[in-house]
Short mmCIF file of all heavy atoms in Angstrom, two decimals:
data_model
loop_
_atom_site.label_atom_id
_atom_site.label_comp_id
_atom_site.label_asym_id
_atom_site.label_seq_id
_atom_site.Cartn_x
_atom_site.Cartn_y
_atom_site.Cartn_z
N ILE L 220 0.84 -1.30 0.03
CA ILE L 220 0.00 0.04 0.01
C ILE L 220 0.85 1.32 -0.02
O ILE L 220 0.52 2.17 -0.64
CB ILE L 220 -1.03 0.02 1.20
CG1 ILE L 220 -2.02 1.12 1.03
CG2 ILE L 220 -0.39 0.04 2.53
CD1 ILE L 220 -3.02 0.92 -0.16
N ALA L 221 1.97 1.18 0.71
CA ALA L 221 2.98 2.43 0.77
C ALA L 221 3.58 2.53 -0.62
O ALA L 221 3.68 3.76 -1.15
CB ALA L 221 4.03 2.23 1.79
N GLN L 222 3.95 1.48 -1.31
CA GLN L 222 4.40 1.61 -2.66
C GLN L 222 3.47 2.17 -3.62
O GLN L 222 3.74 3.03 -4.39
CB GLN L 222 4.95 0.25 -3.11
CG GLN L 222 5.97 -0.53 -2.34
CD GLN L 222 6.20 -1.88 -2.83
OE1 GLN L 222 6.11 -2.18 -4.02
NE2 GLN L 222 6.50 -2.78 -1.91
N ALA L 223 2.24 1.63 -3.56
CA ALA L 223 1.12 2.19 -4.46
C ALA L 223 0.86 3.63 -4.19
O ALA L 223 0.78 4.48 -5.13
CB ALA L 223 -0.13 1.40 -4.24
N ARG L 224 0.86 4.12 -2.97
CA ARG L 224 0.54 5.55 -2.66
C ARG L 224 1.69 6.35 -3.14
O ARG L 224 1.53 7.51 -3.75
CB ARG L 224 0.38 5.69 -1.18
CG ARG L 224 -0.69 5.09 -0.46
CD ARG L 224 -2.00 5.86 -0.79
NE ARG L 224 -3.10 5.42 0.07
CZ ARG L 224 -4.02 4.49 -0.37
NH1 ARG L 224 -3.98 4.11 -1.65
NH2 ARG L 224 -4.98 4.09 0.39
N ARG L 225 3.01 5.93 -3.02
CA ARG L 225 4.15 6.81 -3.57
C ARG L 225 4.16 6.98 -4.99
O ARG L 225 4.53 7.94 -5.51
CB ARG L 225 5.40 6.30 -2.94
CG ARG L 225 5.62 6.42 -1.43
CD ARG L 225 6.97 6.07 -0.95
NE ARG L 225 8.01 6.97 -1.45
CZ ARG L 225 8.33 8.13 -0.98
NH1 ARG L 225 7.70 8.61 0.05
NH2 ARG L 225 9.30 8.82 -1.62
N LEU L 226 3.69 5.85 -5.72
CA LEU L 226 3.92 5.81 -7.10
C LEU L 226 2.63 6.22 -7.85
O LEU L 226 2.50 6.32 -9.10
CB LEU L 226 4.35 4.51 -7.62
CG LEU L 226 5.82 4.07 -7.16
CD1 LEU L 226 5.93 2.63 -7.48
CD2 LEU L 226 6.87 4.91 -7.95
N GLY L 227 1.52 6.56 -7.03
CA GLY L 227 0.27 6.84 -7.69
C GLY L 227 -0.54 5.83 -8.33
O GLY L 227 -1.25 5.86 -9.29
N HIS L 228 -0.20 4.44 -7.87
CA HIS L 228 -0.81 3.28 -8.41
C HIS L 228 -2.16 2.97 -7.59
O HIS L 228 -2.25 3.33 -6.48
CB HIS L 228 0.15 2.16 -8.40
CG HIS L 228 1.23 2.37 -9.29
ND1 HIS L 228 2.28 1.47 -9.23
CD2 HIS L 228 1.52 3.17 -10.28
CE1 HIS L 228 3.24 1.79 -10.17
NE2 HIS L 228 2.72 2.86 -10.81
N HIS L 229 -2.93 2.10 -8.14
CA HIS L 229 -4.05 1.56 -7.49
C HIS L 229 -3.85 0.07 -7.30
O HIS L 229 -3.22 -0.57 -8.22
CB HIS L 229 -5.28 1.81 -8.26
CG HIS L 229 -5.71 3.18 -8.50
ND1 HIS L 229 -6.30 3.90 -7.39
CD2 HIS L 229 -5.69 4.02 -9.38
CE1 HIS L 229 -6.58 5.16 -7.75
NE2 HIS L 229 -6.10 5.32 -9.03
N LEU L 230 -4.36 -0.52 -6.27
CA LEU L 230 -4.21 -1.89 -5.97
C LEU L 230 -5.30 -2.59 -6.53
O LEU L 230 -6.41 -2.11 -6.64
CB LEU L 230 -4.13 -2.22 -4.42
CG LEU L 230 -2.99 -1.49 -3.70
CD1 LEU L 230 -3.11 -1.79 -2.20
CD2 LEU L 230 -1.74 -2.08 -4.27
N ALA L 231 -5.23 -3.88 -6.86
CA ALA L 231 -6.12 -4.65 -7.49
C ALA L 231 -7.18 -4.98 -6.45
O ALA L 231 -8.47 -5.07 -6.78
CB ALA L 231 -5.58 -6.04 -8.00
N ASN L 232 -6.82 -5.13 -5.25
CA ASN L 232 -7.82 -5.39 -4.16
C ASN L 232 -8.36 -4.08 -3.67
O ASN L 232 -7.72 -3.35 -2.78
CB ASN L 232 -7.13 -6.09 -3.03
CG ASN L 232 -8.05 -6.68 -1.86
OD1 ASN L 232 -9.08 -5.98 -1.68
ND2 ASN L 232 -7.71 -7.69 -1.20
N ARG L 233 -9.53 -3.73 -4.09
CA ARG L 233 -10.17 -2.40 -3.77
C ARG L 233 -10.33 -2.31 -2.18
O ARG L 233 -10.18 -1.20 -1.71
CB ARG L 233 -11.49 -2.25 -4.51
CG ARG L 233 -12.17 -1.03 -4.34
CD ARG L 233 -11.35 0.08 -5.24
NE ARG L 233 -12.18 1.21 -5.14
CZ ARG L 233 -11.67 2.52 -4.86
NH1 ARG L 233 -10.36 2.54 -4.72
NH2 ARG L 233 -12.31 3.45 -4.79
N VAL L 234 -10.72 -3.39 -1.55
CA VAL L 234 -10.93 -3.28 -0.07
C VAL L 234 -9.66 -2.98 0.68
O VAL L 234 -9.60 -2.10 1.52
CB VAL L 234 -11.49 -4.66 0.45
CG1 VAL L 234 -11.53 -4.68 2.01
CG2 VAL L 234 -12.84 -4.97 -0.15
N THR L 235 -8.54 -3.58 0.26
CA THR L 235 -7.20 -3.27 0.87
C THR L 235 -6.90 -1.81 0.59
O THR L 235 -6.45 -0.98 1.48
CB THR L 235 -6.11 -4.20 0.34
OG1 THR L 235 -6.41 -5.56 0.56
CG2 THR L 235 -4.77 -3.78 0.80
N GLU L 236 -7.16 -1.43 -0.66
CA GLU L 236 -6.79 0.01 -1.03
C GLU L 236 -7.65 1.11 -0.18
O GLU L 236 -7.09 2.02 0.32
CB GLU L 236 -6.91 0.29 -2.51
CG GLU L 236 -6.50 1.68 -2.95
CD GLU L 236 -6.50 1.78 -4.43
OE1 GLU L 236 -7.22 1.10 -5.19
OE2 GLU L 236 -5.97 2.76 -4.88
N VAL L 237 -8.87 0.81 -0.12
CA VAL L 237 -9.68 1.74 0.63
C VAL L 237 -9.53 1.72 2.08
O VAL L 237 -9.46 2.82 2.81
CB VAL L 237 -11.29 1.48 0.35
CG1 VAL L 237 -12.09 2.29 1.18
CG2 VAL L 237 -11.54 1.67 -1.07
N HIS L 238 -9.27 0.57 2.79
CA HIS L 238 -9.17 0.50 4.10
C HIS L 238 -7.75 0.42 4.77
O HIS L 238 -7.53 0.35 5.97
CB HIS L 238 -10.00 -0.81 4.64
CG HIS L 238 -11.38 -0.57 4.34
ND1 HIS L 238 -12.26 0.24 5.01
CD2 HIS L 238 -12.13 -1.18 3.33
CE1 HIS L 238 -13.46 0.09 4.48
NE2 HIS L 238 -13.45 -0.75 3.45
N SER L 239 -6.71 0.50 3.93
CA SER L 239 -5.40 0.47 4.39
C SER L 239 -4.81 1.91 4.25
O SER L 239 -5.08 2.60 3.42
CB SER L 239 -4.51 -0.45 3.54
OG SER L 239 -4.96 -1.76 3.65
N HIS L 240 -3.99 2.18 5.23
CA HIS L 240 -3.38 3.44 5.31
C HIS L 240 -1.88 3.32 5.68
O HIS L 240 -1.56 2.36 6.29
CB HIS L 240 -4.02 4.40 6.39
CG HIS L 240 -5.47 4.58 6.01
ND1 HIS L 240 -5.98 5.39 5.16
CD2 HIS L 240 -6.55 3.98 6.61
CE1 HIS L 240 -7.37 5.31 5.10
NE2 HIS L 240 -7.82 4.39 5.93
N VAL L 241 -1.09 4.30 5.38
CA VAL L 241 0.36 4.21 5.65
C VAL L 241 0.57 5.00 6.86
O VAL L 241 0.43 6.32 7.01
CB VAL L 241 1.14 4.69 4.52
CG1 VAL L 241 2.61 4.64 4.80
CG2 VAL L 241 0.80 4.06 3.24
N ALA L 242 0.92 4.34 7.99
CA ALA L 242 1.13 4.94 9.25
C ALA L 242 2.41 5.89 9.16
O ALA L 242 3.41 5.61 8.39
CB ALA L 242 1.36 4.01 10.45
N PRO L 243 2.44 6.97 10.00
CA PRO L 243 3.58 7.91 9.88
C PRO L 243 4.89 7.22 10.20
O PRO L 243 5.87 7.52 9.52
CB PRO L 243 3.24 8.95 10.96
CG PRO L 243 1.73 8.93 11.12
CD PRO L 243 1.42 7.53 10.85
N GLU L 244 4.98 6.28 11.04
CA GLU L 244 6.23 5.55 11.29
C GLU L 244 6.73 4.65 10.18
O GLU L 244 7.82 4.47 9.94
CB GLU L 244 6.11 4.68 12.67
CG GLU L 244 5.06 3.62 12.69
CD GLU L 244 3.72 4.03 13.30
OE1 GLU L 244 3.40 5.24 13.21
OE2 GLU L 244 2.97 3.12 13.69
N VAL L 245 5.65 4.15 9.37
CA VAL L 245 6.00 3.38 8.23
C VAL L 245 6.67 4.32 7.25
O VAL L 245 7.69 4.01 6.64
CB VAL L 245 4.91 2.62 7.66
CG1 VAL L 245 5.15 1.98 6.30
CG2 VAL L 245 4.39 1.51 8.62
N GLU L 246 5.97 5.43 6.95
CA GLU L 246 6.51 6.47 6.03
C GLU L 246 7.89 7.01 6.38
O GLU L 246 8.76 7.00 5.47
CB GLU L 246 5.54 7.66 5.98
CG GLU L 246 5.87 8.64 4.86
CD GLU L 246 5.73 8.14 3.45
OE1 GLU L 246 4.98 7.23 3.18
OE2 GLU L 246 6.44 8.84 2.54
N LEU L 247 8.15 7.17 7.64
CA LEU L 247 9.44 7.61 8.13
C LEU L 247 10.53 6.56 7.97
O LEU L 247 11.64 6.92 7.46
CB LEU L 247 9.37 8.09 9.67
CG LEU L 247 10.61 8.57 10.19
CD1 LEU L 247 11.10 9.86 9.55
CD2 LEU L 247 10.46 8.87 11.64
N ARG L 248 10.19 5.34 8.22
CA ARG L 248 11.10 4.22 8.02
C ARG L 248 11.42 4.03 6.50
O ARG L 248 12.61 3.86 6.12
CB ARG L 248 10.58 2.86 8.55
CG ARG L 248 11.51 1.84 8.61
CD ARG L 248 10.92 0.53 9.34
NE ARG L 248 9.79 0.05 8.76
CZ ARG L 248 8.60 -0.11 9.36
NH1 ARG L 248 8.40 0.41 10.57
NH2 ARG L 248 7.54 -0.56 8.75
N LEU L 249 10.43 4.17 5.68
CA LEU L 249 10.65 4.08 4.23
C LEU L 249 11.43 5.19 3.72
O LEU L 249 12.51 5.00 3.04
CB LEU L 249 9.21 4.25 3.60
CG LEU L 249 9.01 4.21 2.17
CD1 LEU L 249 7.69 3.57 1.94
CD2 LEU L 249 9.13 5.44 1.57
N LEU L 250 11.28 6.51 4.17
CA LEU L 250 12.06 7.65 3.72
C LEU L 250 13.50 7.51 4.21
O LEU L 250 14.45 7.83 3.45
CB LEU L 250 11.52 8.88 4.32
CG LEU L 250 10.11 9.30 3.67
CD1 LEU L 250 9.62 10.50 4.39
CD2 LEU L 250 10.34 9.63 2.22
N ASN L 251 13.71 7.01 5.45
CA ASN L 251 15.06 6.80 5.89
C ASN L 251 15.80 5.74 5.20
O ASN L 251 17.02 5.97 4.79
CB ASN L 251 14.98 6.41 7.43
CG ASN L 251 14.67 7.63 8.33
OD1 ASN L 251 14.99 8.83 7.92
ND2 ASN L 251 14.22 7.36 9.48
N ASP L 252 15.14 4.66 4.83
CA ASP L 252 15.77 3.65 4.06
C ASP L 252 16.20 4.21 2.61
O ASP L 252 17.15 3.90 2.00
CB ASP L 252 14.89 2.40 3.90
CG ASP L 252 15.47 1.28 3.09
OD1 ASP L 252 16.47 0.78 3.57
OD2 ASP L 252 14.90 0.92 2.07
N LEU L 253 15.23 4.85 1.97
CA LEU L 253 15.39 5.45 0.58
C LEU L 253 16.63 6.33 0.69
O LEU L 253 17.49 6.37 -0.22
CB LEU L 253 14.22 6.15 0.06
CG LEU L 253 13.03 5.28 -0.44
CD1 LEU L 253 11.77 6.06 -0.64
CD2 LEU L 253 13.37 4.38 -1.59
N GLN L 254 16.64 7.24 1.69
CA GLN L 254 17.78 8.22 1.85
C GLN L 254 19.12 7.45 2.03
O GLN L 254 20.09 7.82 1.36
CB GLN L 254 17.56 9.17 2.94
CG GLN L 254 18.56 10.22 2.99
CD GLN L 254 18.26 11.28 4.07
OE1 GLN L 254 17.53 11.03 5.03
NE2 GLN L 254 18.81 12.49 3.83
N ARG L 255 19.09 6.44 2.79
CA ARG L 255 20.38 5.61 3.03
C ARG L 255 20.79 5.06 1.71
O ARG L 255 21.94 5.03 1.34
CB ARG L 255 20.03 4.55 4.13
CG ARG L 255 21.32 3.61 4.31
CD ARG L 255 21.01 2.38 5.23
NE ARG L 255 19.89 1.72 4.64
CZ ARG L 255 20.08 0.64 3.68
NH1 ARG L 255 21.22 0.53 3.11
NH2 ARG L 255 18.99 -0.07 3.38
N ARG L 256 19.88 4.39 0.99
CA ARG L 256 20.13 3.76 -0.36
C ARG L 256 20.69 4.83 -1.33
O ARG L 256 21.64 4.54 -2.04
CB ARG L 256 18.93 3.06 -0.77
CG ARG L 256 18.58 1.82 -0.15
CD ARG L 256 17.36 1.22 -0.57
NE ARG L 256 16.82 0.20 0.24
CZ ARG L 256 17.34 -1.07 0.20
NH1 ARG L 256 18.35 -1.37 -0.67
NH2 ARG L 256 16.86 -2.00 0.98
N TRP L 257 20.11 5.95 -1.37
CA TRP L 257 20.52 7.10 -2.26
C TRP L 257 22.01 7.45 -1.94
O TRP L 257 22.84 7.52 -2.77
CB TRP L 257 19.57 8.33 -2.16
CG TRP L 257 20.13 9.44 -2.96
CD1 TRP L 257 20.82 10.48 -2.51
CD2 TRP L 257 19.95 9.58 -4.44
NE1 TRP L 257 21.18 11.37 -3.55
CE2 TRP L 257 20.64 10.81 -4.73
CE3 TRP L 257 19.42 8.74 -5.38
CZ2 TRP L 257 20.69 11.26 -6.07
CZ3 TRP L 257 19.45 9.27 -6.70
CH2 TRP L 257 20.06 10.41 -6.95
N HIS L 258 22.33 7.67 -0.63
CA HIS L 258 23.73 7.98 -0.24
C HIS L 258 24.66 6.92 -0.48
O HIS L 258 25.74 7.24 -0.96
CB HIS L 258 23.66 8.37 1.22
CG HIS L 258 23.08 9.70 1.58
ND1 HIS L 258 23.51 10.90 1.01
CD2 HIS L 258 22.02 9.99 2.36
CE1 HIS L 258 22.80 11.94 1.39
NE2 HIS L 258 21.84 11.40 2.18
N GLU L 259 24.32 5.64 -0.28
CA GLU L 259 25.26 4.53 -0.63
C GLU L 259 25.43 4.50 -2.08
O GLU L 259 26.60 4.28 -2.55
CB GLU L 259 24.62 3.21 -0.19
CG GLU L 259 24.72 3.09 1.31
CD GLU L 259 24.01 1.79 1.80
OE1 GLU L 259 23.53 0.97 0.96
OE2 GLU L 259 23.92 1.59 3.05
N ALA L 260 24.42 4.66 -2.95
CA ALA L 260 24.51 4.67 -4.35
C ALA L 260 25.42 5.84 -4.85
O ALA L 260 26.36 5.67 -5.70
CB ALA L 260 23.30 4.64 -5.11
N ASP L 261 25.22 6.96 -4.23
CA ASP L 261 26.01 8.15 -4.61
C ASP L 261 27.55 7.91 -4.24
O ASP L 261 28.35 8.31 -5.06
CB ASP L 261 25.48 9.38 -3.90
CG ASP L 261 26.22 10.67 -4.21
OD1 ASP L 261 26.43 10.81 -5.49
OD2 ASP L 261 26.52 11.39 -3.33
N LEU L 262 27.73 7.45 -3.14
CA LEU L 262 29.15 7.16 -2.68
C LEU L 262 29.88 6.02 -3.59
O LEU L 262 31.00 6.30 -4.01
CB LEU L 262 29.14 6.65 -1.25
CG LEU L 262 28.88 7.76 -0.21
CD1 LEU L 262 28.74 7.00 1.14
CD2 LEU L 262 29.86 8.89 -0.25
N ASN L 263 29.04 5.11 -3.98
CA ASN L 263 29.59 4.08 -4.87
C ASN L 263 29.91 4.62 -6.31
O ASN L 263 30.91 4.40 -6.82
CB ASN L 263 28.57 2.96 -5.03
CG ASN L 263 29.08 1.75 -5.79
OD1 ASN L 263 30.29 1.45 -5.71
ND2 ASN L 263 28.31 1.10 -6.56
N VAL L 264 28.97 5.62 -6.78
CA VAL L 264 29.22 6.14 -8.13
C VAL L 264 30.54 7.05 -7.96
O VAL L 264 31.35 7.10 -8.86
CB VAL L 264 28.00 6.97 -8.48
CG1 VAL L 264 28.32 7.85 -9.78
CG2 VAL L 264 26.90 6.10 -8.92
N ARG L 265 30.62 7.81 -6.89
CA ARG L 265 31.82 8.67 -6.79
C ARG L 265 33.12 7.85 -6.73
O ARG L 265 34.08 8.29 -7.08
CB ARG L 265 31.59 9.67 -5.65
CG ARG L 265 30.55 10.64 -5.74
CD ARG L 265 30.33 11.37 -4.42
NE ARG L 265 29.15 12.17 -4.56
CZ ARG L 265 29.18 13.54 -4.88
NH1 ARG L 265 30.25 14.17 -5.28
NH2 ARG L 265 28.06 14.20 -4.92
#
């Protein structure tokens, strides 16, 4: 559900899409992981 929300996609399971939400702590964990991956990729490219 977090992937779908970030990419603007819809889920095939309409019940899951309507009744699922991304909790703030999930979003924060996701953002921290993406930032870590970005920095690691940048350091690797450099």
Side-chain angles (χ1 to χ4, degrees):
I220 189 70
Q222 296 174 37
R224 294 282 189 264
R225 289 189 63 83
L226 294 168
H228 294 169
H229 293 285
L230 298 177
N232 184 336
R233 187 77 176 129
V234 172
T235 299
E236 184 172 16
V237 170
H238 297 288
S239 296
H240 303 282
V241 182
E244 61 269 20
V245 171
E246 184 70 20
L247 182 60
R248 189 172 62 240
L249 180 154
L250 291 172
N251 286 335
D252 183 64
L253 288 171
Q254 186 172 25
R255 178 188 58 78
R256 290 174 186 282
W257 176 260
H258 287 298
E259 286 176 5
D261 184 46
L262 290 173
N263 188 38
V264 168
R265 290 174 192 266

